[in-house]
């Protein structure tokens, strides 16, 4: 037998009589509790908006408090009815009968009840602290008047003295009622069990690959989640915890990780299309607040300010939540070789905020700064970012364990020892992102990274599975085929702060480790003859390029260094003369550069505009460069002359990814939505393509795919059969789950 109690007000099965005129123990209505528009609560104490099944907040509790005070003073309920339906009808249609109050009820108490029992929640008293003040002042006035009448009290009749005592006692009861209610809620909250549940991605959608792609609202009622549809497009949706469906928000296309809620839980700030934007959860157009070329986290203060990281590297900035010109609020510490500040989180005062400071060290310094000054203080280190959580904790990750530690938000210092909440998925796509989000009322959520074990499979151009390559499954994220198609360089997760490159021999079905950390080694690119591999690593702070022989012999050599934090090798020209590089500039965003492989390796810009240019590849004859750009809005594929830009041709229309040439340069292929297209390169001084034709289909389950240079088959990283679907874990009453490490 299962017995369900609701704050001690519901009665056991069969004992609640809906015809009871008092209805003080009316059944708590909790049917269909996961659908929108439900009625939750005990009928006699429901506010009008609660009875209608509308959204509720603390003003509903103030209505219920008014009902209890009214009952204390009159001996009966505010509204009565023969049945629950009658009772709800009276709540919705009738006004409280304040004439039933004792005649000697102080005017302050009458006004208090009138404000608590206002049917329009917008006109109702907004804060319980104000109610306590009104009651205490009513008592103080009564006591002062009583003191002035002490001299005449002996001559007064016993009835009058008793009446004065009764009014004082009734006001005292009201204050005591408030105290008992608060004490009851606190005791009940402490006794609530920890509840965990998982939210899975809706059909035809996948969750984003990082913890920063979802966030619980401050009021704990809903999750904001960035999802990816079958075409690869990212959008943001709202998932109320009381609902089973995700409601997509218009105007949030291309949203990135790093969401932040407004303090009132009515709007969300997010990054998309090189901008910091905000959107109301009730719908409407998204508003652009300012530029943010490659955002890495934001936090929204009750002071009307948003602190955010506009790029992967560099300091934090602040901007009014109505939009405007950003203003720098942190400064990189050169003595610590810091490269970027990311993912802020405000403290309760709305002025101080936490942030993660990135450097060459594998762990992040978690610091506190202020919107009023550039002063800062380091409070701890963590593999990932940290967030402040009521009632006074910092939540972060240590040794891949989610922990919480007491934090003095005024003294800006940790207290005691960390306590564990359990294991969480390791690593983060965005370094410095926190692995969890927390509401103000005890709800915590965290998301896995979505990097399941994968295996490398062969497919034909139409997506038909040609069987596995025989490489054992692991946490591989990317796979780059060698020019002859006999080997693959694959990036693999090692830990939350380290990725390395592994080489797979596709003929012998053997895998060997190519790099050995520390930090991140990724983005391998083969030389034209397959003898060397260039890759990037942040082991020295900013991402630098290293070259190493592909047979594993010899040492890694530093090929290119600059103080720019984020840059990646895109490709190696077929003649071996150039490395094409995408580099993030704080002012212009991602630009295309080329680095000569001979001489002093001095980089020169190829395309440097206010738009995002990435993924450059030089044609086999060395006359053309293809790349992606968002100059027309969505990311499209373009071709321009090389080495001097000109004669620009737009290849895709409606969105497209990076493309390339066949080994002989006679064919050009490119992705468009979920398909690969191929076209003949027509001879002549201008770049022209013949009619495009379907070349292949992309399997929407593939984590990563690449074509061999002969354009006869694809290598695709596919999730293994026993990989778990992505989900977001929600923990109710999370502080009760804390355990000592």
């Amino acid at each position: 037998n299962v017995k369900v109690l609701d704050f001690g007000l519901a009665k056991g099965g069969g004992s609640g009589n809906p015809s009871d005129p008092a209805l003080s123990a009316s059944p708590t209505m909790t049917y269909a509790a996961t659908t929108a528009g439900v009625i939750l609560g005990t009928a006699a104490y429901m506010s009008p908006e609660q009875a209608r099944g509308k959204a509720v907040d603390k003003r509903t509790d103030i209505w219920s408090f008014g009902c209890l005070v009214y009952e204390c003073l009159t001996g009966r309920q505010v509204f009565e009815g023969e049945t629950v339906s009658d009772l709800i009808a009276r709540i919705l249609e009738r006004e409280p009968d304040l004439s039933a109050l004792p005649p000697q009820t102080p005017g302050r108490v009458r006004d208090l009840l009138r404000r608590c029992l206002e049917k329009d929640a917008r006109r109702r008293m907004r804060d319980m602290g104000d109610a306590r003040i009104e009651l205490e002042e009513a008592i103080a006035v009564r006591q002062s008047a009583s003191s002035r009448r002490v001299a005449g009290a002996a001559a007064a009749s016993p009835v009058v003295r008793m009446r004065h005592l009764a009014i004082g006692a009734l006001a005292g009861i009201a204050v005591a009622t408030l105290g008992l209610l608060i004490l009851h809620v606190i005791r009940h909250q402490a006794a609530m069990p920890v509840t965990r549940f998982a939210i899975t991605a809706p059909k035809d959608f996948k969750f984003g690959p990082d913890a920063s792609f979802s966030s619980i609202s401050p009021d704990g009622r809903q999750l904001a989640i960035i999802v990816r549809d079958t075409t690869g497009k990212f959008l943001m949706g709202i998932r109320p915890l009381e609902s089973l469906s995700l409601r997509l928000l218009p105007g949030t296309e291309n949203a990135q990780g790093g969401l932040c809620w407004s303090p009132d839980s009515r709007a969300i700030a997010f990054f998309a299309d090189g901008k910091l934007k905000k959107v109301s959860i009730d719908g409407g157009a998204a508003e652009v607040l300012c530029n943010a070329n490659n955002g890495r986290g934001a936090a929204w203060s009750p002071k009307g300010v948003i602190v955010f990281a506009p790029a992967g590297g560099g300091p934090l900035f602040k901007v009014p939540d109505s939009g405007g010109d950003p203003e720098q609020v942190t400064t990189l510490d050169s003595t610590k070789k810091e490269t970027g500040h990311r993912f802020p989180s405000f403290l309760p005062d709305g002025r101080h905020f936490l942030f993660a400071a990135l450097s060459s060290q594998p762990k992040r310094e978690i610091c506190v700064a202020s919107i009023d000054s550039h002063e800062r203080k380091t409070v701890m280190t963590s593999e990932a970012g940290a967030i402040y959580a009521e009632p006074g904790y910092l939540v972060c990750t240590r040794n891949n364990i989610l922990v919480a530690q007491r934090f003095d938000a005024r003294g800006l210092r940790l207290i005691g020892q960390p306590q564990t909440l359990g294991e969480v998925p390791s690593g983060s796509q965005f370094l410095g992102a926190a692995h969890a989000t927390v509401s103000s009322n005890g709800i915590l959520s965290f998301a896995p990274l979505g990097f399941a074990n994968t295996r490398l499979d062969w497919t034909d151009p139409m997506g038909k599975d040609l069987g596995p390559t025989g490489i054992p499954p692991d946490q591989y994220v990317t796979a780059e085929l060698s020019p002859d198609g006999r080997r693959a360089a694959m990036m693999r997760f090692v830990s939350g702060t380290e990725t390395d490159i592994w080489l797979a021999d596709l003929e012998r079905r053997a895998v060997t480790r190519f790099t050995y950390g520390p930090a991140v080694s990724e983005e391998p690119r083969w030389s034209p003859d397959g003898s060397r591999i260039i890759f990037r690593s942040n082991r020295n702070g900013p991402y630098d390029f290293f070259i190493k022989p592909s047979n594993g012999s010899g040492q890694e050599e530093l090929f290119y260094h600059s103080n720019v934090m984020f840059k990646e090798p895109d490709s190696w020209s077929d003649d071996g003369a150039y490395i094409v590089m995408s580099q993030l500039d704080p002012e212009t965003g991602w630009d295309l550069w080329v680095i000569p492989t001979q001489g002093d390796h001095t980089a020169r810009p190829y395309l440097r505009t206010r738009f995002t240019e990435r993924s450059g590849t030089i044609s086999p004859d060395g006359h053309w460069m293809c790349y992606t750009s968002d100059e027309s809005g969505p990311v499209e594929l373009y071709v321009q002359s090389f080495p001097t830009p000109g004669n620009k041709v737009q290849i895709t229309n409606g969105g497209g990814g990076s493309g390339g040439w066949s080994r002989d340069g006679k064919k050009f292929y490119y992705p468009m939505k979920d398909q690969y297209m191929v076209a003949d390169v027509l001879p002549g001084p201008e770049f022209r393509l013949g009619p495009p034709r379907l070349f292949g289909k992309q399997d929407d389950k593939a984590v990563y795919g690449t074509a061999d240079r002969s354009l006869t088959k694809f290598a695709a990283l596919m999730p293994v059969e026993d990989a778990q679907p992505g989900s977001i874990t929600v923990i109710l009453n999370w502080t009760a789950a804390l355990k000592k490490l």
Side-chain angles (χ1 to χ4, degrees), residues 104-136:
Q104 297 84 2
T105 303
R108 283 182 177 271
V109 176
R110 290 179 181 272
D111 289 340
L112 170 65
L113 285 172
R114 178 181 54 78
R115 294 179 63 195
C116 288
L117 297 175
E118 174 64 50
K119 290 186 183 294
D120 186 349
R122 296 171 297 181
R123 301 174 57 86
R124 196 176 303 152
M125 179 170 284
R126 293 180 176 272
D127 194 280
M128 188 62 76
D130 294 336
R132 184 181 183 93
I133 292 172
E134 291 291 331
L135 290 171
E136 289 176 340

Side-chain angles (χ1 to χ4, degrees), residues 10-76:
K11 287 196 172 185
S15 61
N17 183 0
S19 298
D20 183 353
L23 285 176
S24 60
S26 64
T28 301
M29 292 174 282
T30 58
Y31 55 85
T34 59
T35 61
V38 301
I39 299 176
L40 300 174
T42 304
Y45 303 92
M46 280 186 181
S47 65
E49 66 269 23
Q50 191 176 11
R52 289 189 172 99
K54 293 185 176 181
V56 298
D57 55 25
K58 64 182 181 180
R59 292 172 296 182
T60 286
D61 293 333
I62 290 175
W63 170 281
S64 301
F65 167 76
C67 292
L68 285 172
V69 174
Y70 184 97
E71 196 169 337
C72 286
L73 295 175
T74 63
R76 65 182 180 86

